[in-house]
Amino acid sequence: MAGYLVSDARKVTTHRFIEMKQRSEKISMLTSYDYTMAGIVDGAGIDGILIGDSASNVMAGNATTLPMTVDQMIYHARSVVRGVKRALVVCDMPFGSYQVDRHEGVKNAVRIMKESGCDALKLEGGEEILDTVKGILDAGIPVMGHLGLTPQSINKFGTYAVRAKDEAEAEKLRRDAALLQDVGCFSVVLEKVPALLAEEVTKNLTIPTIGIGAGGKTDGQILVVADMLGMTNGFSPRFLRRYANLNEVITDAIGKYVSDVKSLDFPNEQESY
């Protein structure tokens, strides 16, 4: 089976992302952090899978993405890659792995690609990391940019509020998006920025924009898989649509299992050797 609503089973590439923008076909992306979930997400027909450093929150229970290490990202990325046949697999470079200098950024990027087998990397930031992005691209590694709310900079921002509402920050975002495109990035994530600004940037770029909390006029959308499946509680930003309530489904299933074990209903004779 090629996938739900998917007739083209060919591997999705960075070039196909750009082709999708050119023919006005929206790009669908979700995060994944493990083999089992990645296989389900890929089989359902998703275009791109991000091994986000949001694994820090979703998988490890940290308050921010900052604690994630290169080793941890490689572990998650390697697990995801094993479960994916079609989707483009993008891995976040974690905080501290590319901000120090170009040499260290390129070295870590090469290591992540070699040891994980993913298709591309994502870096947060614009002009301030442009030299490092260029170095990674020069090494033959595709790069997805990330502008707007950049969670690795949470201590600088001090808030997860919408970014680029004032003209100065909006102008910097426009300039950074153009710079990332000009240096060779194949796409850019726009996170929690005003919809009109995201639409403007999308129209001015030839590479696709992937939105999260950036309105419906970006070239694609991405959500954290545990959020959109309703596995998490207590996180309900405006941009999040829950497509299931797996927290309730899983809790009910486990509760039934506990009850069956305690009442000696499980295992029964047919479930025994």
Side-chain angles (χ1 to χ4, degrees):
M1 183 179 71
Y4 184 67
L5 295 180
V6 174
S7 58
D8 188 349
R10 292 178 302 156
K11 171 71 177 175
V12 180
T13 63
T14 57
H15 182 66
R16 285 186 65 190
F17 260 42
I18 295 172
E19 287 182 332
M20 290 170 77
K21 177 184 176 88
Q22 290 171 344
R23 61 175 179 261
S24 299
E25 178 184 350
K26 294 293 186 178
I27 300 166
S28 61
M29 291 192 70
L30 285 171
T31 64
S32 293
Y33 315 102
D34 65 88
Y35 169 83
T36 301
M37 182 64 79
I40 295 171
V41 171
D42 184 57
I46 207 77
D47 298 311
I49 291 177
L50 172 69
I51 303 102
D53 57 4
S54 48
S56 180
N57 314 95
V58 177
M59 305 300 288
N62 294 312
T64 72
T65 63
L66 302 186
M68 290 303 286
T69 66
V70 170
D71 285 342
Q72 288 170 325
M73 292 305 301
I74 289 172
Y75 167 80
H76 287 293
R78 186 185 291 145
S79 301
V80 166
V81 167
R82 291 193 188 107
V84 174
K85 295 179 180 178
R86 178 181 177 274
L88 180 77
V89 180
V90 183
C91 183
D92 267 337
M93 289 194 71
F95 176 71
S97 67
Y98 60 94
Q99 290 93 343
V100 177
D101 59 44
R102 172 180 172 135
H103 175 77
E104 185 169 353
V106 174
K107 182 178 178 180
N108 284 323
V110 170
R111 184 182 167 214
I112 294 170
M113 292 293 288
K114 281 176 66 72
E115 296 185 24
S116 73
C118 64
D119 301 313
L121 301 177
K122 180 168 76 63
L123 284 70
E124 296 182 6
E127 186 174 10
E128 59 278 2
I129 62 160
L130 203 64
D131 189 49
T132 299
V133 170
K134 187 177 186 306
I136 294 170
L137 289 163
D138 287 345
I141 299 171
V143 174
M144 174 182 280
H146 184 157
L147 300 172
L149 176 64
T150 47
Q152 291 179 13
S153 301
I154 183 57
N155 288 331
K156 179 177 76 173
F157 292 149
T159 174
Y160 287 105
V162 175
R163 305 304 311 176
K165 289 197 293 184
D166 66 82
E167 184 53 34
E169 191 173 348
E171 182 54 35
K172 178 175 173 18
L173 189 143
R174 295 185 190 100
R175 183 174 65 253
D176 284 343
L179 288 171
L180 290 172
Q181 173 179 271
D182 292 346
V183 82
C185 290
F186 73 92
S187 66
V188 59
V189 170
L190 300 177
E191 180 170 358
K192 286 193 83 170
V193 299
L196 287 176
L197 175 62
E199 180 180 4
E200 176 192 341
V201 171
T202 298
K203 288 179 177 178
N204 289 334
L205 295 180
T206 58
I207 60 173
T209 58
I210 308 297
I212 176 167
K217 297 300 178 67
T218 53
D219 297 303
Q221 299 291 331
I222 186 168
L223 287 174
V224 171
V225 69
D227 295 335
M228 63 82 66
L229 289 176
M231 298 173 71
T232 54
N233 283 324
F235 179 70
S236 297
R238 181 189 297 189
F239 64 78
L240 174 60
R241 181 182 297 181
R242 298 190 189 277
Y243 285 81
N245 187 353
L246 291 197
N247 190 297
E248 183 177 307
V249 171
I250 294 169
T251 301
D252 288 348
I254 293 172
K256 185 66 164 60
Y257 167 73
V258 170
S259 176
D260 287 352
V261 168
K262 292 185 179 294
S263 66
L264 307 183
D265 183 67
F266 177 80
N268 59 30
E269 287 188 14
Q270 287 73 38
E271 294 161 332
S272 301
Y273 296 97

